[in-house]
PDB file of all heavy atoms in Angstrom:
ATOM      1  N   ALA K 157       3.475   0.056  26.010  1.00 98.00           N
ATOM      2  CA  ALA K 157       4.213   0.252  24.777  1.00 98.00           C
ATOM      3  C   ALA K 157       4.384   1.763  24.428  1.00 98.00           C
ATOM      4  O   ALA K 157       3.524   2.561  24.881  1.00 98.00           O
ATOM      5  CB  ALA K 157       3.479  -0.475  23.623  1.00 98.00           C
ATOM      6  N   TRP K 159       5.079   4.969  21.420  1.00 98.00           N
ATOM      7  CA  TRP K 159       4.351   5.397  20.216  1.00 98.00           C
ATOM      8  C   TRP K 159       5.185   5.289  18.978  1.00 98.00           C
ATOM      9  O   TRP K 159       4.711   5.444  17.913  1.00 98.00           O
ATOM     10  CB  TRP K 159       3.912   6.862  20.328  1.00 98.00           C
ATOM     11  CG  TRP K 159       5.037   7.784  20.792  1.00 98.00           C
ATOM     12  CD1 TRP K 159       5.221   8.279  22.058  1.00 98.00           C
ATOM     13  CD2 TRP K 159       6.069   8.375  20.021  1.00 98.00           C
ATOM     14  NE1 TRP K 159       6.360   9.069  22.159  1.00 98.00           N
ATOM     15  CE2 TRP K 159       6.913   9.133  20.874  1.00 98.00           C
ATOM     16  CE3 TRP K 159       6.465   8.238  18.690  1.00 98.00           C
ATOM     17  CZ2 TRP K 159       8.055   9.814  20.454  1.00 98.00           C
ATOM     18  CZ3 TRP K 159       7.578   9.003  18.209  1.00 98.00           C
ATOM     19  CH2 TRP K 159       8.368   9.746  19.104  1.00 98.00           C
ATOM     20  N   LYS K 183      -1.231  -1.743  27.406  1.00 98.00           N
ATOM     21  CA  LYS K 183      -1.581  -0.387  27.271  1.00 98.00           C
ATOM     22  C   LYS K 183      -0.679   0.298  26.227  1.00 98.00           C
ATOM     23  O   LYS K 183       0.513   0.452  26.445  1.00 98.00           O
ATOM     24  CB  LYS K 183      -1.338   0.375  28.671  1.00 98.00           C
ATOM     25  CG  LYS K 183      -2.069   1.764  28.582  1.00 98.00           C
ATOM     26  CD  LYS K 183      -1.599   2.770  29.615  1.00 98.00           C
ATOM     27  CE  LYS K 183      -0.485   3.546  29.165  1.00 98.00           C
ATOM     28  NZ  LYS K 183      -0.714   4.444  27.964  1.00 98.00           N
ATOM     29  N   GLU K 186      -0.955   6.613  24.554  1.00 97.00           N
ATOM     30  CA  GLU K 186      -2.144   7.354  24.336  1.00 97.00           C
ATOM     31  C   GLU K 186      -2.095   8.165  22.998  1.00 97.00           C
ATOM     32  O   GLU K 186      -3.103   8.558  22.473  1.00 97.00           O
ATOM     33  CB  GLU K 186      -2.519   8.282  25.560  1.00 97.00           C
ATOM     34  CG  GLU K 186      -1.360   9.176  25.988  1.00 97.00           C
ATOM     35  CD  GLU K 186      -0.378   8.523  26.965  1.00 97.00           C
ATOM     36  OE1 GLU K 186      -0.009   7.346  26.778  1.00 97.00           O
ATOM     37  OE2 GLU K 186       0.052   9.180  27.868  1.00 97.00           O
ATOM     38  N   THR K 235       8.330  -0.738  27.271  1.00 98.00           N
ATOM     39  CA  THR K 235       9.249  -0.014  26.399  1.00 98.00           C
ATOM     40  C   THR K 235       8.847   1.415  26.407  1.00 98.00           C
ATOM     41  O   THR K 235       7.738   1.765  26.167  1.00 98.00           O
ATOM     42  CB  THR K 235       9.190  -0.588  24.943  1.00 98.00           C
ATOM     43  OG1 THR K 235       9.589  -1.958  24.999  1.00 98.00           O
ATOM     44  CG2 THR K 235      10.118   0.169  24.016  1.00 98.00           C
ATOM     45  N   GLY K 236       9.863   2.261  26.616  1.00 98.00           N
ATOM     46  CA  GLY K 236       9.628   3.676  26.695  1.00 98.00           C
ATOM     47  C   GLY K 236      10.859   4.398  27.177  1.00 98.00           C
ATOM     48  O   GLY K 236      11.961   3.938  27.130  1.00 98.00           O
ATOM     49  N   SER K 237      10.617   5.571  27.861  1.00 98.00           N
ATOM     50  CA  SER K 237      11.676   6.418  28.252  1.00 98.00           C
ATOM     51  C   SER K 237      12.310   5.886  29.549  1.00 98.00           C
ATOM     52  O   SER K 237      11.688   5.144  30.326  1.00 98.00           O
ATOM     53  CB  SER K 237      11.231   7.822  28.457  1.00 98.00           C
ATOM     54  OG  SER K 237      10.260   7.847  29.528  1.00 98.00           O
ATOM     55  N   THR K 240      10.345   6.983  32.714  1.00 98.00           N
ATOM     56  CA  THR K 240       9.211   6.171  33.037  1.00 98.00           C
ATOM     57  C   THR K 240       9.559   4.797  33.511  1.00 98.00           C
ATOM     58  O   THR K 240       8.903   4.220  34.433  1.00 98.00           O
ATOM     59  CB  THR K 240       8.246   6.085  31.804  1.00 98.00           C
ATOM     60  OG1 THR K 240       7.954   7.409  31.257  1.00 98.00           O
ATOM     61  CG2 THR K 240       6.954   5.447  32.107  1.00 98.00           C
ATOM     62  N   LEU K 260      14.636   0.833  27.309  1.00 98.00           N
ATOM     63  CA  LEU K 260      14.491   2.264  27.572  1.00 98.00           C
ATOM     64  C   LEU K 260      15.289   3.067  26.509  1.00 98.00           C
ATOM     65  O   LEU K 260      15.512   2.598  25.441  1.00 98.00           O
ATOM     66  CB  LEU K 260      14.972   2.547  28.985  1.00 98.00           C
ATOM     67  CG  LEU K 260      14.341   1.600  30.039  1.00 98.00           C
ATOM     68  CD1 LEU K 260      14.836   1.882  31.419  1.00 98.00           C
ATOM     69  CD2 LEU K 260      12.752   1.835  30.034  1.00 98.00           C
ATOM     70  N   CYS K 294      14.617   4.007  19.306  1.00 97.00           N
ATOM     71  CA  CYS K 294      15.315   3.881  20.529  1.00 97.00           C
ATOM     72  C   CYS K 294      16.869   3.777  20.290  1.00 97.00           C
ATOM     73  O   CYS K 294      17.704   4.358  20.915  1.00 97.00           O
ATOM     74  CB  CYS K 294      14.854   2.741  21.389  1.00 97.00           C
ATOM     75  SG  CYS K 294      14.936   1.217  20.487  1.00 97.00           S
ATOM     76  N   GLU K 393      19.309  12.106  24.985  1.00 98.00           N
ATOM     77  CA  GLU K 393      18.546  11.583  23.889  1.00 98.00           C
ATOM     78  C   GLU K 393      17.614  12.642  23.307  1.00 98.00           C
ATOM     79  O   GLU K 393      16.823  13.164  24.018  1.00 98.00           O
ATOM     80  CB  GLU K 393      17.730  10.375  24.425  1.00 98.00           C
ATOM     81  CG  GLU K 393      16.999   9.647  23.303  1.00 98.00           C
ATOM     82  CD  GLU K 393      16.078   8.504  23.845  1.00 98.00           C
ATOM     83  OE1 GLU K 393      15.319   8.730  24.772  1.00 98.00           O
ATOM     84  OE2 GLU K 393      16.146   7.420  23.253  1.00 98.00           O
TER      85      GLU K 393
HETATM   86  P1  NAD Y 501       7.184   7.174  27.582  1.00 88.38           P
HETATM   87  O1  NAD Y 501       8.040   6.568  28.633  1.00 88.38           O
HETATM   88  O2  NAD Y 501       6.659   8.589  27.685  1.00 88.38           O
HETATM   89  O3  NAD Y 501       5.818   6.385  27.461  1.00 88.38           O
HETATM   90  C1  NAD Y 501       5.809   4.973  27.208  1.00 88.38           C
HETATM   91  C2  NAD Y 501       4.566   4.319  27.676  1.00 88.38           C
HETATM   92  O4  NAD Y 501       4.560   4.426  29.085  1.00 88.38           O
HETATM   93  C3  NAD Y 501       3.251   5.003  27.211  1.00 88.38           C
HETATM   94  O5  NAD Y 501       2.271   4.011  26.931  1.00 88.38           O
HETATM   95  C4  NAD Y 501       2.876   5.789  28.432  1.00 88.38           C
HETATM   96  O6  NAD Y 501       1.489   6.048  28.532  1.00 88.38           O
HETATM   97  C5  NAD Y 501       3.298   4.987  29.567  1.00 88.38           C
HETATM   98  N1  NAD Y 501       3.565   5.554  30.851  1.00 88.38           N
HETATM   99  C6  NAD Y 501       3.959   6.868  31.074  1.00 88.38           C
HETATM  100  N2  NAD Y 501       4.085   7.033  32.373  1.00 88.38           N
HETATM  101  C7  NAD Y 501       3.798   5.920  32.994  1.00 88.38           C
HETATM  102  C8  NAD Y 501       3.744   5.478  34.387  1.00 88.38           C
HETATM  103  N3  NAD Y 501       4.116   6.333  35.386  1.00 88.38           N
HETATM  104  N4  NAD Y 501       3.434   4.239  34.675  1.00 88.38           N
HETATM  105  C9  NAD Y 501       3.070   3.382  33.653  1.00 88.38           C
HETATM  106  N5  NAD Y 501       3.053   3.715  32.358  1.00 88.38           N
HETATM  107  C10 NAD Y 501       3.390   4.956  32.052  1.00 88.38           C
HETATM  108  O7  NAD Y 501       7.908   6.951  26.220  1.00 88.38           O
HETATM  109  P2  NAD Y 501       7.549   7.350  24.749  1.00 88.38           P
HETATM  110  O8  NAD Y 501       7.734   8.856  24.611  1.00 88.38           O
HETATM  111  O9  NAD Y 501       6.221   6.788  24.394  1.00 88.38           O
HETATM  112  O10 NAD Y 501       8.643   6.599  23.859  1.00 88.38           O
HETATM  113  C11 NAD Y 501       9.890   7.195  23.606  1.00 88.38           C
HETATM  114  C12 NAD Y 501      10.945   6.520  24.493  1.00 88.38           C
HETATM  115  O11 NAD Y 501      10.905   5.099  24.363  1.00 88.38           O
HETATM  116  C13 NAD Y 501      12.333   6.939  24.086  1.00 88.38           C
HETATM  117  O12 NAD Y 501      13.082   7.231  25.203  1.00 88.38           O
HETATM  118  C14 NAD Y 501      12.887   5.697  23.415  1.00 88.38           C
HETATM  119  O13 NAD Y 501      14.234   5.536  23.411  1.00 88.38           O
HETATM  120  C15 NAD Y 501      12.193   4.636  24.155  1.00 88.38           C
HETATM  121  N6  NAD Y 501      12.125   3.376  23.427  1.00 88.38           N
HETATM  122  C16 NAD Y 501      12.971   2.359  23.746  1.00 88.38           C
HETATM  123  C17 NAD Y 501      12.965   1.178  22.928  1.00 88.38           C
HETATM  124  C18 NAD Y 501      13.928  -0.003  23.344  1.00 88.38           C
HETATM  125  O14 NAD Y 501      13.715  -1.070  22.722  1.00 88.38           O
HETATM  126  N7  NAD Y 501      14.822   0.210  24.164  1.00 88.38           N
HETATM  127  C19 NAD Y 501      12.086   1.041  21.880  1.00 88.38           C
HETATM  128  C20 NAD Y 501      11.305   2.180  21.513  1.00 88.38           C
HETATM  129  C21 NAD Y 501      11.303   3.257  22.318  1.00 88.38           C
END
Side-chain angles (χ1 to χ4, degrees):
W159 49 260
K183 196 199 86 61
E186 52 275 42
T235 298
S237 64
T240 306
L260 310 177
C294 56
E393 185 183 48

